[in-house]
Amino acid sequence: MTARSAKAAPRPAPAPRGPRSGGGPLRLYARAKRAWDRPLMAYYLILGGSLLITLLGLVMVYSASQIQALRYGLAPSFFFRKQLLAAVIGGVLLVVAGRLSVRLHRMLAYPLLAVSVFFMCLVQVPGIGVEINGNQNWINLGGPFQLQPSEFGKLALVMWGADLLARKQDKKLLGQWKHLLVPLIPVAFLLLGLIMLGGDMGTAIILTAILFGLLWLAGAPTRLFAGVLAAATVIGVLLIKTSANRMSRLGCVLPTDTGPGDACWQALHGIYALASGGLFGSGLGASVEKWGELPEPHTDFIFAITGEELGLAGTLSVLALFAALGYAGIRVAGRTEDPFVRYAAGGVTTWIMAQAVVNIGAVLGLLPIAGVPLPLFSYGGSALLPTMFAIGLLIAFARDEPAARAALAMRQSVFGRKLGFGRKRAGVRRKTMRRRVKKRPSGER
């Protein structure tokens, strides 16, 4: 019996395959999940999402502010040019913040807090502070430029609070409620008091949200957290009850008419703008409400003009960008081992997401009008500059993850080889930067 006539050994049966209809979606889901879990995903989401929000905001500021500028006797592009200048300066701050190390960010925390408190005190000095729309929270810098120090107070509270909690965690002091609250709560109340002296309750709400975010990240006990929340609620109710303007704003939630004295005019026309936009909007620049019907179309209610001109598709795109930015910030805070990075990233994410919710909720008529801008989107250089610096913080933290650093180093080396920087000479192998050793033939022993 020859080898050819011998019977071949039976081959193992192939594994059963699933139905073809389920293979494609499952493969797509697996690929999407792998792409979503890549080390640089948070970095790209923060960088790309923030830049897209800022660029779309510049377009909408130009569209929404032209009529407002003409009403003031200014050039149609006046507000756009100021916002573009602020975006350029903010871009520089973003790059600088993204390149600084965590150690340098921690060193900047205390000087930033001191400077913010100093300028917030200057706001209350007669002749220096400027009152706008009933709130005295501005400083005139000369010409058309003004500064709102309370916007920088948000960044100061995030960085200083993160550094404080990180140092106390290193010393294992956060388990004691006294160390958890002092001096974080007194300093936060100092900033809140200076803001409320000017009457800006909207900014005070965002600052309170940042404080609660830091306490939550620090692992504050439920009783302590509930106690601080109850105290803040009581103070907020008292501040609303003692102000006729704030009470009227509270009465404009879910408006159906303009109300007595047209108190709900802005809230109602914001809903009109959103309702008239339809699915794809009336077209860029074709808003009707910005022709004097809707107050503050380029600042607090720019989201309404976006809905009118770009429709539901435009507003959902803005919401998706903010959702991606919020997810990336939470991911950075959740994956780090550095306590300062965790607190700072969580604080920045809380700040931006809370402010976006308050602004969009007011435009939709679901929340009272708080007078806070939409982050990175609304007109206002004082709000844009610290926010872009905060985005730079998130970018620096996302780049600092070990897996992200390794991925960036690998991509840089691949890019260098494509450009010819890593090309090897024929027949030689680099052992060091100075010495080259000839390759041995593959068969040599």
Side-chain angles (χ1 to χ4, degrees), residues 179-211:
H179 286 282
L180 184 63
L181 296 183
V182 180
L184 179 62
I185 298 295
V187 171
F189 272 62
L190 171 64
L191 295 175
L192 288 170
L194 292 173
I195 292 173
M196 289 308 301
L197 282 176
D200 188 2
M201 191 168 182
T203 303
I205 291 173
I206 306 305
L207 209 70
T208 305
I210 295 173
L211 174 62

Side-chain angles (χ1 to χ4, degrees), residues 349-361:
T349 306
T350 303
W351 161 18
I352 295 176
M353 292 300 106
Q355 189 162 322
V357 168
V358 171
N359 178 276
I360 296 174

Side-chain angles (χ1 to χ4, degrees), residues 328-351:
I330 294 173
R331 176 168 167 167
V332 171
R335 293 194 174 189
T336 183
E337 297 295 332
D338 190 326
F340 173 78
V341 173
R342 181 169 63 255
Y343 295 133
V348 170
T349 306
T350 303
W351 161 18

